[in-house]
Amino acid sequence: MKKFVVLYIAAQSAQAQMAESTPEAAQEGMKAWMAWAESAGDGIVDLGNPLGAGKEMTSTGTSDTSTGVAGYGILQAEDLAGAQGLLDGHPHLMMPGASIQVYESLDLPGM
């Protein structure tokens, strides 16, 4: 099985989403996530977490991040198509402007 890093992209940060959510809405959101997690089953290696504010570091300095990465997860599947299949019906995609990026985690040569 191969591992895949899943990045949840959103127009609004996870911190802002959580701050604006009522307890009832948060509970309903978690129900949707848990239903998806149950359907993905053993394909989930790490359900992941929401991400807070970040910094981008380059050789010339540091700045606030400009991407909308709101969270991450790690899946396992035979191939990229299988990983994508595990994400069918994912509740993150119900948010306006949201998307999911999936990347295969490659083995380091010689490791």
Side-chain angles (χ1 to χ4, degrees):
M1 290 283 228
K2 297 177 180 180
K3 289 186 182 174
F4 296 87
V5 176
V6 178
L7 299 177
Y8 299 108
I9 311 300
Q12 187 179 36
S13 74
Q15 287 171 313
Q17 292 171 39
M18 290 188 285
E20 293 176 7
S21 182
T22 66
E24 297 80 18
Q27 186 176 17
E28 286 303 309
M30 285 309 301
K31 282 182 187 177
W33 272 78
M34 292 300 103
W36 168 78
E38 186 175 324
S39 71
D42 291 340
I44 299 175
V45 174
D46 180 349
L47 188 57
N49 282 304
L51 297 174
K55 294 290 184 180
E56 182 173 6
M57 300 167 59
T58 68
S59 62
T60 60
T62 302
S63 62
D64 291 337
T65 56
S66 59
T67 61
V69 180
Y72 78 95
I74 300 174
L75 302 178
Q76 64 182 1
E78 293 295 326
D79 55 23
L80 185 56
Q84 287 176 272
L86 291 171
L87 294 163
D88 284 346
H90 197 287
H92 179 74
L93 296 174
M94 292 189 291
M95 287 190 328
S99 65
I100 298 175
Q101 295 180 359
V102 185
Y103 298 90
E104 183 178 344
S105 177
L106 302 175
D107 293 328
L108 288 172
M111 298 293 283

